[in-house]
Amino acid sequence: MYTPQFPGPNNDMLEAQARVCTGPHQTRPLGKKSSDGPQPDAIIETVLNSLNGKLEYDEMVSEPQMGAFFVAMTLRKYFPEATQWSSAETAAFKKYQSTLINNLPKEIQYLINPEIVYIPDNPTEATVVTALEKILQAKHLSYIETRQMCEAILSDKVKPALRAAALIGQRMNRETYEEVRGYLDSYYDPEQVKPIDVDSLTHFGQPYDGATRYFRPTLFVAAVRAALGEASLLHSVDEMPPKKGITEETLLKALGANTTLTLEQTAQLITDKSVGFGYVSQREYSLGAYGIRELRVHIMKRPPWAATEKALQFLSARKNNYMVIGYYHIGYEKPLLQMAYERGFQSAVAIKGEEGTSHYALRLGKPSTPERMAVNYSQGFRHIEGKREDFALDIDPTEYGFDYKINPRPENVSAEAYVDAGVAALSGEKGHIYDRILLNSAMVDYLLGICADPHDAIKRAKEVMDDGSALGHLKSYIKASKGC
C-alpha cells in the first residue's frame, strides 16, 4: 500500500492546478471572475501560509504542487493571448513579488524567474535543471535529453518541486515523438528486452490507475488466450493514486496468486504450457517509477509517462510480437503505435476503451467521426507480406451478436467481486461479464491478425470459456506463481 511522502495536497491549489497546468488552448486563467474558482491572490497567500507553518499538515501546499503551479504560470507567457495571465494574476504576482522572493525556496524562485542563477545540489539534479532551461522557454528536448531527465526524476536525488515542474512543463509543451520515445525508454531500457521461448507473445498495456466503473477483463482475457495457445504478458501496479482503481495485480491478489514475481519468473510462467501468460509489477521492473507514484496526486495532471508506460516491452518471442494499448487522451496513440512498428512488432492495436483501457464496451453509442473518436475506436497496423497495413474502425458489438441497450456496469466494484464474476464467467456463467471477456478476447485476436475472421474468433474463444479450459489456465497460474 502506498504511504504519503509529502504534506497536503492543498485542495485549493489542486483546483488552481487543474485550471492552469494544461495546454495552450485548455488553460483557464485565474481571477477572470470573482465568483469563478480560486483567486490568484488567495492562492499565493495559501502558499505563503503553508511555508510559514500556518496550515495543518494535510492542508499544506506541497513542494510538487508549488513546482507544478509555478512552472505553469511561467509557461503561460508563451501561450495564446486568451490563455495567458489574467489581469488579476498579473496584479497578484506584482503585489506579492517581494514576499515571494523572501519566502519561496530557491528552486521555486528559479521556476518563476528562469533568468536567476540556481545551483543544483548534485549532478543528477543538474540534469533536470538543464532540461528545465529549455522547458521553461517552451522549447523541446531531444530523445537523449528527455531520457536523461526522466531517469534523473526516477532517482531520489532531485527536489520534488523540480521533478513536478519538469513533468508538468513537458505535458504543457505537448511532447514530440522523440520526447515520447525518451519517456518510454527511461522506464525500461529496450536493450534489456530478453528473448522468450514461445512463438508469439502479446503485451497488454492498460492504465496503471485501474478501474472504478467498469469490469476489468484483461486478466481473464489472458486466460482465454492462453487456452487458445496465445501467450500474453500483463503489467501494472497494486495501487496508483489518485484514482486507486482495481488493477490486474489487485485481482491476482484477490485470487491468492503471488504478485512479487521477477521478469525471469514471469517468463517461466508464460513458457509453461499449462499457464501460458504472466504478470509483472512495476515494483519489479522499475522501483524508481513505483517509488514516486505519489507525484501523480500532487501535480494534479497525469505525467507524460502515464501514457507511454502502457507501451513497454519486456520480452521478445521467437516469431511474432504483438501489442495492445488502451488510451483515453487522443494524440498519444499514434506515436505509441509508431514505436511498436519501429521495434519490430508484427502488429499492434490502440483502443479507445472504457476508462482509457483497451476494453470494449458492450454498446458502441455514437460512431466515431473525423472530429471525435468514440469508445471502441480501434486503430493499428499489421505486417502483411513484408508491408505495413494500417487500419482504423469502430468495433460495434451488435455486429457480433451482443445487443445491449446500455453498457452495463457491475453492481459491486471491488477486486473480490470482480474475481468472483470473472471466475463465474470462465466457468460458463452467461451475462455481461461473460460477454465482455468473450468480446475482448475475440476482437484482440482478430485485429492483431491472429484470427482472420471475427466470428471465428468469437466461436473459438467461446469454446475454451465453456469447456473450462480458460479457467484451468487461470488456476494453473495461481498455483504456479506460488511455487516461484
Short mmCIF file of all heavy atoms in Angstrom, two decimals, residues 13 32 92 96 101 104 123 129 148 153 204 222 224 227 230 239 271 281 283 300 347 359 369 382 412 417 484:
data_model
loop_
_atom_site.label_atom_id
_atom_site.label_comp_id
_atom_site.label_asym_id
_atom_site.label_seq_id
_atom_site.Cartn_x
_atom_site.Cartn_y
_atom_site.Cartn_z
N MET A 13 -5.19 24.65 -4.01
CA MET A 13 -4.12 24.66 -5.00
C MET A 13 -4.37 23.61 -6.08
O MET A 13 -4.10 23.85 -7.27
CB MET A 13 -2.77 24.42 -4.33
CG MET A 13 -1.60 24.33 -5.30
SD MET A 13 -1.40 25.82 -6.32
CE MET A 13 -0.20 26.73 -5.35
N LYS A 32 -10.55 35.73 -13.58
CA LYS A 32 -11.30 36.50 -14.60
C LYS A 32 -12.65 36.94 -14.05
O LYS A 32 -13.18 37.98 -14.42
CB LYS A 32 -11.47 35.67 -15.87
CG LYS A 32 -10.25 35.68 -16.77
CD LYS A 32 -10.59 35.21 -18.17
CE LYS A 32 -9.45 35.50 -19.14
NZ LYS A 32 -9.80 35.12 -20.53
N ALA A 92 -1.79 40.14 -8.76
CA ALA A 92 -1.45 39.36 -7.57
C ALA A 92 0.06 39.12 -7.48
O ALA A 92 0.66 39.26 -6.40
CB ALA A 92 -2.20 38.04 -7.58
N TYR A 96 2.61 40.57 -4.48
CA TYR A 96 3.34 39.68 -3.56
C TYR A 96 4.78 39.42 -4.00
O TYR A 96 5.44 38.54 -3.44
CB TYR A 96 2.60 38.35 -3.44
CG TYR A 96 1.28 38.43 -2.72
CD1 TYR A 96 0.09 38.53 -3.42
CD2 TYR A 96 1.23 38.42 -1.33
CE1 TYR A 96 -1.13 38.61 -2.76
CE2 TYR A 96 0.02 38.48 -0.66
CZ TYR A 96 -1.16 38.58 -1.38
OH TYR A 96 -2.36 38.65 -0.72
N ILE A 101 9.80 36.42 -3.04
CA ILE A 101 11.26 36.32 -3.12
C ILE A 101 11.86 36.00 -1.76
O ILE A 101 12.81 35.21 -1.64
CB ILE A 101 11.85 37.64 -3.67
CG1 ILE A 101 11.46 37.81 -5.14
CG2 ILE A 101 13.37 37.67 -3.51
CD1 ILE A 101 11.85 39.16 -5.73
N LEU A 104 9.96 32.01 -0.74
CA LEU A 104 9.97 30.78 -1.56
C LEU A 104 11.35 30.14 -1.58
O LEU A 104 12.37 30.85 -1.60
CB LEU A 104 9.55 31.10 -2.99
CG LEU A 104 8.06 31.41 -3.23
CD1 LEU A 104 7.84 31.79 -4.68
CD2 LEU A 104 7.19 30.22 -2.86
N PRO A 123 24.95 16.33 -9.49
CA PRO A 123 24.90 16.16 -10.96
C PRO A 123 23.56 15.65 -11.48
O PRO A 123 23.14 16.02 -12.58
CB PRO A 123 26.03 15.17 -11.23
CG PRO A 123 26.97 15.34 -10.08
CD PRO A 123 26.11 15.64 -8.90
N VAL A 129 17.67 20.33 -14.16
CA VAL A 129 17.71 21.79 -14.31
C VAL A 129 18.11 22.18 -15.73
O VAL A 129 17.56 23.12 -16.31
CB VAL A 129 18.68 22.40 -13.27
CG1 VAL A 129 18.86 23.90 -13.52
CG2 VAL A 129 18.14 22.17 -11.86
N GLN A 148 17.46 11.21 -20.26
CA GLN A 148 18.32 11.52 -19.11
C GLN A 148 17.54 12.26 -18.03
O GLN A 148 17.70 12.00 -16.84
CB GLN A 148 19.52 12.34 -19.57
CG GLN A 148 20.52 11.55 -20.41
CD GLN A 148 21.64 12.42 -20.95
OE1 GLN A 148 21.53 13.65 -21.01
NE2 GLN A 148 22.74 11.79 -21.37
N ILE A 153 14.71 12.02 -12.77
CA ILE A 153 13.48 12.17 -11.98
C ILE A 153 13.15 10.89 -11.23
O ILE A 153 12.63 10.93 -10.11
CB ILE A 153 12.32 12.60 -12.90
CG1 ILE A 153 12.52 14.04 -13.38
CG2 ILE A 153 10.97 12.47 -12.20
CD1 ILE A 153 11.53 14.48 -14.43
N PHE A 204 0.02 -6.52 -23.14
CA PHE A 204 -1.18 -5.74 -22.90
C PHE A 204 -0.83 -4.55 -22.02
O PHE A 204 -0.31 -4.72 -20.91
CB PHE A 204 -2.26 -6.57 -22.19
CG PHE A 204 -3.02 -7.48 -23.10
CD1 PHE A 204 -2.53 -8.74 -23.43
CD2 PHE A 204 -4.24 -7.09 -23.65
CE1 PHE A 204 -3.23 -9.59 -24.27
CE2 PHE A 204 -4.95 -7.93 -24.49
CZ PHE A 204 -4.45 -9.18 -24.81
N ALA A 222 -6.48 -12.91 -20.81
CA ALA A 222 -5.20 -13.61 -20.91
C ALA A 222 -5.37 -15.10 -20.70
O ALA A 222 -4.72 -15.91 -21.38
CB ALA A 222 -4.21 -13.04 -19.89
N VAL A 224 -8.14 -16.84 -21.37
CA VAL A 224 -8.81 -17.34 -22.57
C VAL A 224 -7.80 -17.52 -23.69
O VAL A 224 -7.76 -18.57 -24.36
CB VAL A 224 -9.94 -16.38 -23.01
CG1 VAL A 224 -10.48 -16.78 -24.39
CG2 VAL A 224 -11.05 -16.37 -21.98
N ALA A 227 -5.52 -20.50 -23.26
CA ALA A 227 -6.18 -21.75 -23.63
C ALA A 227 -6.20 -21.95 -25.14
O ALA A 227 -6.31 -23.08 -25.63
CB ALA A 227 -7.60 -21.78 -23.08
N GLU A 230 -2.24 -18.67 -27.25
CA GLU A 230 -1.69 -17.33 -27.47
C GLU A 230 -1.20 -16.76 -26.14
O GLU A 230 -1.99 -16.50 -25.23
CB GLU A 230 -2.74 -16.40 -28.08
CG GLU A 230 -3.20 -16.80 -29.47
CD GLU A 230 -2.08 -16.76 -30.51
OE1 GLU A 230 -1.10 -16.01 -30.28
OE2 GLU A 230 -2.19 -17.47 -31.52
N GLU A 239 -1.57 -0.41 -6.68
CA GLU A 239 -2.43 0.74 -6.47
C GLU A 239 -1.73 1.99 -7.00
O GLU A 239 -0.55 2.19 -6.76
CB GLU A 239 -2.71 0.90 -4.97
CG GLU A 239 -3.63 2.05 -4.63
CD GLU A 239 -3.88 2.14 -3.14
OE1 GLU A 239 -4.84 1.48 -2.68
OE2 GLU A 239 -3.13 2.83 -2.42
N THR A 271 6.06 -19.50 -20.57
CA THR A 271 6.50 -20.66 -21.37
C THR A 271 5.93 -21.98 -20.86
O THR A 271 5.98 -22.98 -21.57
CB THR A 271 8.04 -20.75 -21.38
OG1 THR A 271 8.53 -20.82 -20.03
CG2 THR A 271 8.65 -19.53 -22.06
N SER A 281 4.89 -6.72 -11.95
CA SER A 281 4.55 -5.47 -11.29
C SER A 281 5.62 -4.42 -11.54
O SER A 281 6.80 -4.74 -11.70
CB SER A 281 4.42 -5.70 -9.78
OG SER A 281 4.23 -4.47 -9.10
N ARG A 283 6.83 -2.58 -9.42
CA ARG A 283 7.81 -2.69 -8.33
C ARG A 283 9.01 -3.52 -8.73
O ARG A 283 10.12 -3.31 -8.25
CB ARG A 283 7.17 -3.36 -7.10
CG ARG A 283 6.16 -2.54 -6.36
CD ARG A 283 5.77 -3.25 -5.07
NE ARG A 283 5.53 -4.67 -5.29
CZ ARG A 283 4.39 -5.18 -5.75
NH1 ARG A 283 3.39 -4.37 -6.04
NH2 ARG A 283 4.26 -6.47 -5.92
N MET A 300 -1.54 16.94 -10.04
CA MET A 300 -2.93 17.03 -10.49
C MET A 300 -3.17 16.37 -11.84
O MET A 300 -4.06 15.57 -12.01
CB MET A 300 -3.39 18.49 -10.54
CG MET A 300 -4.85 18.66 -10.88
SD MET A 300 -5.90 17.86 -9.65
CE MET A 300 -7.50 17.97 -10.37
N SER A 347 2.25 -6.82 -35.23
CA SER A 347 1.07 -5.96 -35.31
C SER A 347 0.80 -5.36 -33.94
O SER A 347 1.28 -5.85 -32.93
CB SER A 347 -0.16 -6.74 -35.82
OG SER A 347 -0.46 -7.81 -34.95
N HIS A 359 -10.39 -2.06 -23.29
CA HIS A 359 -11.58 -2.88 -23.11
C HIS A 359 -12.77 -2.33 -23.87
O HIS A 359 -13.14 -1.16 -23.69
CB HIS A 359 -11.92 -2.99 -21.62
CG HIS A 359 -10.79 -3.48 -20.78
ND1 HIS A 359 -10.57 -3.07 -19.49
CD2 HIS A 359 -9.79 -4.35 -21.07
CE1 HIS A 359 -9.49 -3.65 -19.01
NE2 HIS A 359 -9.00 -4.43 -19.96
N THR A 369 -16.28 9.96 -35.62
CA THR A 369 -16.26 10.89 -36.74
C THR A 369 -14.83 11.40 -36.88
O THR A 369 -13.99 11.17 -36.00
CB THR A 369 -17.20 12.09 -36.50
OG1 THR A 369 -16.69 12.87 -35.41
CG2 THR A 369 -18.61 11.62 -36.17
N ARG A 382 -0.69 -3.96 -39.17
CA ARG A 382 -0.26 -5.36 -39.28
C ARG A 382 0.84 -5.42 -40.32
O ARG A 382 0.85 -4.65 -41.28
CB ARG A 382 -1.41 -6.27 -39.73
CG ARG A 382 -2.66 -6.20 -38.90
CD ARG A 382 -3.69 -7.22 -39.41
NE ARG A 382 -5.00 -7.03 -38.80
CZ ARG A 382 -6.01 -6.39 -39.37
NH1 ARG A 382 -5.85 -5.88 -40.59
NH2 ARG A 382 -7.17 -6.27 -38.76
N ASN A 412 -21.19 -4.27 -7.83
CA ASN A 412 -20.21 -4.14 -6.75
C ASN A 412 -18.83 -3.93 -7.36
O ASN A 412 -18.34 -4.77 -8.11
CB ASN A 412 -20.23 -5.40 -5.88
CG ASN A 412 -19.34 -5.28 -4.66
OD1 ASN A 412 -18.63 -4.28 -4.49
ND2 ASN A 412 -19.37 -6.29 -3.82
N ALA A 417 -15.25 -8.87 -5.85
CA ALA A 417 -16.44 -9.02 -6.69
C ALA A 417 -16.06 -9.27 -8.14
O ALA A 417 -16.68 -10.11 -8.83
CB ALA A 417 -17.31 -7.77 -6.59
N CYS A 484 6.92 -20.14 -7.29
CA CYS A 484 8.09 -19.43 -7.80
C CYS A 484 8.93 -18.87 -6.65
O CYS A 484 8.39 -18.48 -5.62
CB CYS A 484 7.67 -18.30 -8.72
SG CYS A 484 6.99 -18.86 -10.29
#
